[in-house]
Amino acid sequence: MISLHTSPVRRRRLGVATAAAGLLATLLMAGPAAATPDPGDRGAARTGVSAAQEAEAAAAIRNGEIPGVDEIVHSSNITHLANVPKDALKGTNTDLAFQGKYAFAGNYDGFRIFDISDPRSPRTVSQVLCPGSQNDISVSGNLLFLSTDSSRSDNSCTSTTQPATEKSSWEGMKVFDISDKRNPKYVAAVETACGSHTHTLVPERKNVYVYVSSYSPSATFPDCQPPHDGISVIKVPRNAPEKAAVVNFPVLFPDGGNPGAPDNPGVSRTTGCHDITVLPSKALAAGACMGDGLLFSIKDPENPKIIDRVQDNVNFAFWHSATFNQTTDKVVFTDELGGGGAATCNEEIGPKRGANGIYDIVGRGDHRKLVFRSYFKIDRPQADTEVCVAHNGSIIPVKGRDLMVQAWYQGGVSVWDFTDSSKPKEIGYFERGPVTTDAVTTAGPWSAYYYNGYIYSNDIAKGFDVLKLDDRRTDPAKRVRLDELNVQTQPEYFGR
């Protein structure tokens, strides 16, 4: 691990037990990286387009149908306050977490900590080089959690890519001590089956449980064997994180889950989960699991229990993420059609694919059911060179309304209202024009979250954005203050 910041050079060794586990932490000034990310840790590459598609995109810009290359446009209720470009970490920007006056931003090369006490002028506190896709990130107290979902030579932050077919390869969860935000310390690593694409925290007073979502097993992968029909549950003692360990692997799909093609053409076969959102105050969780959507109880966090399971074999290709409304009678599931590498916000794909699916939760207790109500997809025109699909978002906490802010890659940031789950509508937006008109390029906001009165977005290519939303429908949320926010661990905004 290399931490890059502006304080004088200091070097500090971890304790013997930690060093023996293969962990490495070195603190340096900003400069050349000692651990270089490998191609296997990079995001999606550019892909070519036809001359007709390129010409069509250029014509749409000339005619004012879409913004120009890198041009910023937004609704009148949104103000763009700040942008902080990438610095030492050049890889793909990923997810965000928040604590007090700090924002934590994941990147395929590691993570970056911002001081957001002045949202108009975020300051970099530290940058930690620790390559390994996709570095999904969460925080709880003095601990920071980082997912590694690419096969590595070992669990250190100076590891290199290594084939998953080799038994010695490592993937899983990394844990850092962030009691000193300028000098994060790598303190623990836990290998998990098939790595950790994303993770979700279930925090308790003495321990933090981590639900690890991963998928795509292969008979050729020694540490990722089929079937892979569940999630890894890690228990992390707060006072002794070096003792973190997998305590269970609950099987969520005893029948194997959605079979995908040829039974269900165009639908991902379920071989694990992509992401899980928990609402600890209600002991409830929603799982987005490739070809399936789940509702389950987490009354016993080590042993989650399935309540209901749904599929959409007509319009959903890949169940990507989930968000509860605050009264826990709705769930928004997202469909990442094209895997975040295709242009899906166009007439050819239509308004029901690569969209959100809004489900009502009806019934009580273990008899609750997920009932489909409608789809929501942004209808702002996008070029066929722009990767655009439903991605990560969060609730905007306003009593009596169901409001959400959401990232759509190059579709930008959308603010939308699903109070009437049958008639969702967009009420605000922010976006940049195409990165280019001569190739399909993965760019735009990976995550867009509402935290303590502002919208924060981690743009895959352009860096960290801060937006201010002024609208009578959302203004009451400005009075809601949180000490910490991991969006996949939804807080009880009004019952605290």
Side-chain angles (χ1 to χ4, degrees), residues 108-147:
Y108 272 51
D109 292 351
F111 64 92
R112 188 174 184 178
I113 303 178
F114 294 98
D115 182 334
I116 54 171
S117 52
D118 179 1
R120 294 179 180 275
S121 184
R123 295 186 302 104
T124 298
V125 176
S126 58
Q127 299 181 72
V128 176
L129 179 63
C130 195
S133 66
Q134 57 186 7
N135 279 340
D136 191 48
I137 193 166
S138 298
V139 294
S140 184
N142 288 329
L143 299 179
L144 180 147
F145 301 83
L146 206 63
S147 287

Side-chain angles (χ1 to χ4, degrees), residues 426-447:
E426 184 172 80
I427 63 173
Y429 67 90
F430 168 90
E431 70 166 293
R432 291 179 170 89
V435 171
T436 179
T437 59
D438 63 2
V440 178
T441 306
T442 299
W446 178 290
S447 301

